[in-house]
Amino acid sequence: MFGFLKERQRRRLRAQPVPEVWREIISDRLPFYDRLSPNDQNELLGHVQVFLAEKRFEGCDGLEVTDDIRVTIATQACLLLLHRRTDYFPRLLTILVYPSGFVVNEDRHLHGHVWGQGEEGRLGETGREMGSMVLAWDAIKSGARDPSDGKNLVLHEFAHQLDFEDFMGDGVPALGSRREKLSWAEVMKVEFAALRAADATGISTLLDTYGATNPAEFFAVATEAFFERPQALQQQHPRLYGEMRRFFRQDPARYSSEPAAG
Ligand SMILES: [Zn+2]
């Protein structure tokens, strides 16, 4: 019953008219949006309505949370939800936004997944048990501005949240059939090992070597590359691209604006 009411409420939210100011923010901040098909744009805006109605935002260090901040975060996060039945990152309740990188007290750092910036500085953080996510607004803006540099803080942190949907932060999101799971496990094992080896020897890689930290970071980094460097990923890591395409039910190589791989 509860699930039914929630779904009805979400359907209502998705059908609401989109405030004009949101469209302005999106066209200002998020170049990827214009490259989506009209159907995908509509679906995405519907998800953004639900996301913004359900998630709590808090500004930290004096930052005032504006529509600009909320819509910029929500639109990128919801890109990960297209074409699937979704419960809208159910383990995430609150998004804390700092004006810029923040410093984490290592004593209370509980296995959070971290987008690193030196030893103590963080640009983003979320954890399976946290119920929250911390993001730096200046890193969100710079990550959004260039849709094809392979780096995107919001996609990274929300990939972790997708990973938590099956109650584990192990780099394996909720997959469908046993065959899909087997195929995912085999491809990821090989790709993760290859990134670790490249990291150890200093060979330059398409995937950020932060992904060599563990399988959970590998998934988050691969998600950034999938949406921001899809053509290069498809070319250089076709099996990894294939797994990601099946999981995300999207083929961003078809609308990517990335420069030709050289
Ligand atoms: Zn991470």
Side-chain angles (χ1 to χ4, degrees), residues 8 10 12 17 30 56 60 72 83-85 90-91 108 139 145 150 157 187 215 222 224-225 234 241:
R8 197 168 65 177
R10 285 173 170 175
R12 205 177 288 146
L30 303 168
R56 220 172 93 88
C60 303
T72 300
H83 310 163
R84 69 168 79 234
R85 275 177 66 87
R91 303 178 71 85
R108 62 161 192 81
R145 197 174 301 129
E157 297 300 339
V187 171
E224 290 178 86
Q234 190 174 34
Y241 187 85

Side-chain angles (χ1 to χ4, degrees), residues 112-116 124 126 156-157 160 210 214 216-218 220-221 224:
H113 290 296
V114 163
W115 214 65
T126 194
H156 181 109
E157 297 300 339
H160 284 314
Y210 186 60
N214 58 46
E217 294 306 335
F218 183 83
V221 160
E224 290 178 86

Side-chain angles (χ1 to χ4, degrees), residues 9 19 46 56 77 114 138 237 246:
Q9 165 71 358
R56 220 172 93 88
V114 163
D138 60 357
H237 303 266
R246 185 159 51 182

Side-chain angles (χ1 to χ4, degrees), residues 61-239:
D61 271 0
L63 184 74
E64 187 198 340
V65 174
T66 58
D67 273 355
D68 187 11
I69 292 175
R70 287 158 28 92
V71 171
T72 300
I73 293 171
T75 308
Q76 294 176 89
C78 291
L79 179 64
L80 304 186
L81 305 181
L82 285 182
H83 310 163
R84 69 168 79 234
R85 275 177 66 87
T86 178
D87 199 15
Y88 296 92
F89 308 108
R91 303 178 71 85
L92 179 69
L93 308 173
T94 307
I95 298 157
L96 302 152
V97 190
Y98 281 78
S100 56
F102 49 93
V103 174
V104 170
N105 175 351
E106 288 295 332
D107 293 342
R108 62 161 192 81
H109 177 216
L110 303 167
H111 307 289
H113 290 296
V114 163
W115 214 65
Q117 182 201 43
E119 279 196 8
E120 296 175 335
R122 303 273 191 265
L123 299 175
E125 182 176 27
T126 194
R128 194 163 57 89
E129 307 299 337
M130 283 169 71
S132 63
M133 177 181 292
V134 192
L135 295 168
W137 175 227
D138 60 357
I140 295 170
K141 282 186 286 187
S142 62
R145 197 174 301 129
D146 187 339
S148 50
D149 62 357
K151 295 199 184 305
N152 186 299
L153 174 63
V154 176
L155 296 182
H156 181 109
E157 297 300 339
F158 279 90
H160 284 314
Q161 282 293 327
L162 279 186
D163 190 5
F164 301 152
E165 278 185 355
D166 62 355
F167 305 101
M168 286 185 286
D170 55 359
V172 186
L175 298 162
S177 65
R178 185 177 142 74
R179 226 179 106 218
E180 270 182 57
K181 288 177 191 159
L182 285 173
S183 169
W184 180 278
E186 188 207 325
V187 171
M188 294 299 157
K189 189 176 157 197
V190 172
E191 295 282 350
F192 177 60
L195 188 63
R196 281 182 78 94
D199 187 32
T201 48
I203 297 169
S204 79
T205 52
L206 173 66
L207 294 165
D208 190 321
T209 50
Y210 186 60
T213 311
N214 58 46
E217 294 306 335
F218 183 83
F219 173 60
V221 160
T223 299
E224 290 178 86
F226 178 71
F227 285 101
E228 294 229 330
R229 302 294 313 279
Q231 289 172 5
L233 191 69
Q234 190 174 34
Q235 212 171 63
Q236 296 177 34
H237 303 266
R239 296 186 71 205

